[in-house]
Amino acid sequence: MLRQYELVERVKEYDPDADEVMLNRAYVYTVQKHGTQTRASGDPYFSHPVEVAGLMTDLKLDQETIVTALLHDTVEDTLATIDDIDRNFGPDVARLVDGVTKLSKIEQMPENERAAENLRKFLLAMSEDIRVLLVKLGDRLHNMRTLHFIKKEEKRQRIARETMEIYAPLAERVGMYEYMREMQLLAFEQLEPEGYATIMQRLEQIREQDGGQVDRIALDMKHALAEAGIVTEVSGREKHPYSIWRKMAERHVSFEQVTDIMAFRIICEDVADCYRALGILHTTWQCLPGRFKDYISTPKTNGYRSLHTSLIYGKSMRVEVQIRTREMHRLNEFGLAAHWAYKQGDRPDGQVAWLRDLIEIVDASHDAEELLEHTRMAIYQDRIFAFTPKGALFQLPRGSTAVDFAFAVHTDLGLQTVGARINGRHMPLRTQLANGDVVEILKGENAEPQMSWLGFVVTGKARASIRRAVRLKERAEVAEIGRKLFDEIATRVPAKVGKKAMRGALERLAMEEEDDLYYAIGSAKITDRDVMEALVPGSTDGMEDEAEWSRGTKSLSIRGLTPGVGYKLAECCHPVPGDRIVGLRLPGEGVEVHTIDCHRLADGIGSDWLDLSWGKRSMGAVGRLRITLYDRMGTLAEMAGIFAKNNVNVQSLQQTQLDHPFTTYDADLEVQDLAHLNRILSAVRASDAVAQAERV
């Protein structure tokens, strides 16, 4: 553990003007506040914030960040308050400490909600001051280094999983690869102990058996470059154990089949030498097609710059090579922290955009599960590059579609998207983008996001925005139903309902706006009697039976429709009760009800959607089966017998194809629900008379 004077000396080495008195006061404050508290390792608790402060000095961060690191656990784990921090160390430090501190009020929440609320607060604080993130990453890294002291395996696994899913990707997104690699390695050891032990053992065997092969390859590269007059530093190492494990999992291969486990780094004097060195390597050794990446001309979002290539050394050995300048190397290893210049307000443009996207996700996410899902999507890497027609560059996760691109450009553009041109051609919105695609988004003023988009978008920002828009639309439609029901309820109170009565009702029901009341009525979250009492207190006195003032309307077969609106079940997908359904509003024709996976919806037909669910309908829905029978005597009668045994009414039976020795029929069957239809389908498939059967 760093002693007090050692910590101060470290800061003074790179910041001679640092306030030594404040640093000393913060060190003493954290020691006094944590007192006799101990960690799972048995060490004094204050050793943790001191070590985190030491990590911040390695990054050469300013004194406020060092003080924040020293104090970051005092509010959470001692009697100190944010006001105490403010009085003793100023408002800036208090704000930073508050950003890193967990919310004490949420400790009794379920684990996922607690994690989401902590993450929500952390992301909001981080967007205001990136130093919150730097301290949090240092805090998590030191906790991972001491994780093995925690006795409960369940707790170790939870912390390791959170580190792997949230904090290691966060470190990667801000370019702090040293932090990312160490976090991944420590989490990997806890989450996959057998895999970790096996890979570490095999790497050790390779070191013992290769007889200095890594050094020989590095020396060969250095000599080849020196002969061309390029001054370089060349170093080699085995690839990161977790990187090897992930490659084995992704490719479904064994350790022996992973051929590129050696990686080499070449440090050049300037950018021109980087490209010259690449040319020398490619002419000296065979390069692997498709493995070259130029992150110098097109840096990653986190500012990472380097040339990447893979070579075949000798007869069959594959090696990865990274080529960069010394300055690039410094920035690449510690990312945002390395070129941090907070006092000048200097943050990389890509980081600002990424942080802005994260905050939009926080605002749009409905609950804990959504927030965690969308954030994980936003912070994981493996990117492709796409351009607007004017040449603006956007980085997106691999697998992104035109809709993801639209939301990346701007949320409003995503919400108004109706089509896309990719490289000048009209393409479906679900088309996955490739590196270098030029994407033009077509928009409509009255367009709205479609529920079906959630089936193919991959970015957290797109999913969060679509879900929020769908919820708002659904709320508006439910509120419209509630408004009509309210008018009927209002006729039953013994007084005229005016603005004064409405204001009083909202106050009694603890609601802010009339739409809140209409939504509560439409979604059956409030009873008619409660509404009447809120409008005119005492108006329901003497009503002995709830049925006397119930609405008296029959349950709709389809929920989510405005009362009185006509509908029909779509013949393209034949929905039955039990299917997840949506409505497609057709001008002048009412609503057409489809299954959620209907091909017409997937093709984007129509733009006015309703999220529907089944009511109490028990009979009358028609499901269609396509059945292929062996073309022999008695097979049709056997199929009819199966229908009879399963109490189903056959509305129509049509021969659609004759291809000897098979005959195919479309059978329209009146069924009770999806379970009923599936039972019939299973019985048909079990028959020897049937070659194939499927639902249409």
Side-chain angles (χ1 to χ4, degrees):
M1 183 182 71
L2 284 174
R3 297 181 180 180
Q4 183 174 340
Y5 74 89
E6 291 174 329
L7 179 66
V8 174
E9 285 179 357
R10 280 198 186 188
V11 178
K12 298 287 279 186
E13 281 179 7
Y14 63 83
D15 185 7
D17 298 327
D19 187 343
E20 187 173 339
V21 174
M22 176 183 277
L23 292 169
N24 282 318
R25 193 165 70 248
Y27 192 105
V28 172
Y29 188 89
T30 195
V31 171
Q32 289 178 339
K33 289 297 179 182
H34 287 294
T36 59
Q37 293 175 348
T38 58
R39 292 172 60 79
S41 62
D43 294 331
Y45 191 92
F46 60 77
S47 64
H48 166 66
V50 169
E51 291 300 324
V52 175
L55 290 172
M56 298 299 98
T57 63
D58 292 338
L59 300 175
K60 296 181 170 52
L61 298 179
D62 70 322
Q63 67 181 30
E64 288 183 338
T65 309
I66 307 302
V67 171
T68 299
L70 288 169
L71 305 176
H72 76 272
D73 274 339
T74 53
V75 174
E76 182 182 349
D77 295 325
T78 77
L79 297 177
T81 65
I82 291 297
D83 290 339
D84 295 334
I85 303 297
D86 193 340
R87 282 194 301 272
N88 286 282
F89 302 98
D92 288 341
V93 171
R95 177 171 47 81
L96 292 172
V97 171
D98 189 41
V100 184
T101 302
K102 292 184 177 72
L103 287 169
S104 59
K105 294 180 181 179
I106 62 176
E107 290 305 315
Q108 302 304 316
M109 287 184 177
E111 180 183 319
N112 64 327
E113 292 185 22
R114 185 167 65 248
E117 286 302 322
N118 283 331
L119 182 61
R120 185 190 300 273
K121 183 185 180 192
F122 170 52
L123 293 176
L124 290 171
M126 183 180 74
S127 70
E128 297 176 2
D129 196 322
I130 200 65
R131 291 177 292 181
V132 169
L133 173 59
L134 302 180
V135 174
K136 187 64 178 178
L137 291 177
D139 170 54
R140 179 51 61 115
L141 178 59
H142 186 258
N143 280 333
M144 289 302 296
R145 288 175 176 176
T146 58
L147 185 62
H148 58 282
F149 288 111
I150 295 177
K151 294 181 179 179
K152 291 184 178 180
E153 181 182 359
E154 182 181 350
K155 185 175 182 181
R156 292 199 308 272
Q157 293 258 328
R158 175 180 60 79
I159 295 172
R161 190 173 299 106
E162 187 179 66
T163 299
M164 189 71 85
E165 293 180 350
I166 299 294
Y167 293 103
L170 273 172
E172 182 181 20
R173 285 307 303 266
V174 295
M176 297 177 70
Y177 285 92
E178 283 292 328
Y179 276 42
M180 178 203 74
R181 283 190 286 266
E182 187 174 353
M183 284 184 190
Q184 285 180 337
L185 184 64
L186 294 167
F188 176 40
E189 182 179 7
Q190 295 294 331
L191 297 173
E192 298 287 348
E194 292 183 5
Y196 172 85
T198 300
I199 290 178
M200 294 300 286
Q201 182 181 6
R202 293 306 308 275
L203 290 175
E204 183 61 33
Q205 290 173 354
I206 290 174
R207 292 189 202 106
E208 294 174 354
Q209 296 170 3
D210 71 0
Q213 189 176 42
V214 172
D215 293 337
R216 283 200 305 273
I217 297 174
L219 190 60
D220 284 351
M221 289 183 179
K222 189 176 180 68
H223 285 165
L225 296 171
E227 288 177 2
I230 303 174
V231 179
T232 62
E233 293 178 11
V234 183
S235 59
R237 57 174 175 79
E238 299 98 352
K239 292 188 70 173
H240 191 252
Y242 176 67
S243 175
I244 296 174
W245 171 263
R246 188 165 59 182
K247 186 167 293 186
M248 289 168 58
E250 290 173 352
R251 299 180 183 177
H252 304 288
V253 298
S254 65
F255 184 92
E256 288 74 14
Q257 293 171 296
V258 179
T259 56
D260 50 346
I261 63 171
M262 291 186 184
F264 294 85
R265 183 170 294 145
I266 297 175
I267 307 296
C268 299
E269 294 297 321
D270 53 39
V271 172
D273 279 351
C274 290
Y275 287 101
R276 288 179 59 209
L278 178 70
I280 297 300
L281 294 179
H282 281 187
T283 53
T284 306
W285 293 280
Q286 181 182 350
C287 68
L288 287 171
R291 299 297 298 274
F292 168 65
K293 295 178 181 177
D294 186 348
Y295 293 120
I296 291 181
S297 64
T298 309
K300 292 185 179 182
T301 308
N302 57 24
Y304 178 93
R305 301 178 72 206
S306 186
L307 298 176
H308 289 193
T309 189
S310 292
L311 307 173
I312 298 179
Y313 182 87
K315 294 183 178 180
S316 60
M317 181 180 295
R318 297 184 179 190
V319 296
E320 290 190 1
V321 183
Q322 300 172 353
I323 309 170
R324 60 185 66 161
T325 66
R326 197 176 309 281
E327 179 65 11
M328 289 177 195
H329 179 61
R330 185 179 69 85
L331 299 180
N332 289 349
E333 292 305 288
F334 295 104
L336 188 64
H339 56 86
W340 183 82
Y342 181 82
K343 292 178 181 178
Q344 287 74 36
D346 178 20
R347 290 191 218 165
D349 291 340
Q351 294 297 350
V352 173
W354 172 65
L355 290 172
R356 191 182 302 119
D357 285 351
L358 275 182
I359 300 313
E360 283 197 33
I361 288 172
V362 170
D363 291 340
S365 296
H366 178 61
D367 54 28
E369 292 289 348
E370 275 192 18
L371 177 61
L372 291 173
E373 174 196 348
H374 298 156
T375 305
R376 286 169 186 148
M377 288 181 173
I379 62 183
Y380 275 111
Q381 288 279 8
D382 195 10
R383 322 291 282 178
I384 57 110
F385 301 91
F387 299 85
T388 67
K390 294 183 178 180
L393 173 66
F394 288 87
Q395 295 188 40
L396 295 163
R398 193 169 301 280
S400 291
T401 64
V403 174
D404 293 295
F405 182 86
F407 279 102
V409 174
H410 198 281
T411 302
D412 289 344
L413 179 62
L415 296 174
Q416 296 178 327
T417 296
V418 295
R421 291 191 186 96
I422 301 175
N423 301 323
R425 295 177 56 201
H426 279 281
M427 300 293 287
L429 289 175
R430 62 172 55 244
T431 303
Q432 291 190 0
L433 304 179
N435 249 331
D437 279 349
V438 177
V439 185
E440 179 186 358
I441 299 299
L442 309 177
K443 64 179 184 177
E445 291 184 4
N446 298 319
E448 293 178 330
Q450 306 302 315
M451 193 86 167
S452 61
W453 291 0
L454 293 174
F456 57 78
V457 296
V458 301
T459 58
K461 182 179 180 182
R463 294 186 74 84
S465 300
I466 292 167
R467 281 174 170 164
R468 184 181 194 183
V470 169
R471 279 196 300 269
L472 291 175
K473 182 181 178 182
E474 177 187 279
R475 180 183 175 88
E477 292 181 347
V478 172
E480 182 60 30
I481 295 173
R483 184 189 300 272
K484 298 184 184 219
L485 294 173
F486 173 82
D487 291 341
E488 190 270 328
I489 295 170
T491 62
R492 290 187 257 140
V493 298
K496 184 178 180 181
V497 177
K499 291 184 178 180
K500 183 177 180 181
M502 178 62 84
R503 284 197 301 269
L506 294 176
E507 185 175 337
R508 294 181 189 100
L509 295 170
M511 297 180 180
E512 295 183 3
E513 300 178 356
E514 291 182 22
D515 274 353
D516 295 335
L517 175 58
Y518 299 146
Y519 177 76
I521 296 171
S523 57
K525 292 182 178 178
I526 188 172
T527 66
D528 294 11
R529 183 167 193 157
D530 289 338
V531 176
M532 294 170 68
E533 276 296 310
L535 289 169
V536 181
S539 60
T540 62
D541 291 349
M543 290 185 177
E544 298 178 2
D545 192 340
E546 187 114 344
E548 289 185 34
W549 47 265
S550 64
R551 293 175 196 147
T553 59
K554 296 181 180 179
S555 296
L556 293 171
S557 295
I558 303 290
R559 295 194 186 100
L561 293 171
T562 302
V565 172
Y567 71 89
K568 63 179 180 179
L569 302 180
E571 295 185 2
C572 49
C573 53
H574 295 276
V576 298
D579 285 323
R580 174 75 172 83
I581 54 174
V582 294
L584 183 61
R585 197 189 302 275
L586 303 177
E589 297 181 30
V591 174
E592 195 174 63
V593 180
H594 295 257
T595 61
I596 190 68
D597 55 355
C598 177
H599 68 88
R600 291 195 70 205
L601 302 181
D603 291 340
I605 303 299
S607 61
D608 198 358
W609 296 56
L610 299 173
D611 191 11
L612 306 178
S613 61
W614 294 98
K616 296 182 179 180
R617 185 183 187 93
S618 59
M619 284 294 291
V622 176
R624 174 171 291 178
L625 298 185
R626 182 159 294 156
I627 305 169
T628 301
L629 300 176
Y630 291 104
D631 189 13
R632 58 182 183 236
M633 190 175 297
T635 55
L636 192 58
E638 185 171 341
M639 184 175 67
I642 294 172
F643 294 156
K645 287 180 181 178
N646 283 275
N647 299 316
V648 64
N649 180 36
V650 181
Q651 281 202 348
S652 70
L653 184 67
Q654 182 179 3
Q655 179 181 313
T656 59
Q657 187 174 351
L658 179 60
D659 185 13
H660 187 75
F662 303 106
T663 306
T664 300
Y665 296 87
D666 279 355
D668 289 348
L669 311 174
E670 187 174 301
V671 296
Q672 296 175 7
D673 52 26
L674 181 60
H676 188 196
L677 182 61
N678 284 337
R679 286 196 302 272
I680 298 165
L681 181 58
S682 296
V684 168
R685 285 173 172 169
S687 171
D688 291 335
V690 177
Q692 186 177 359
E694 61 182 357
R695 182 183 175 190
V696 180

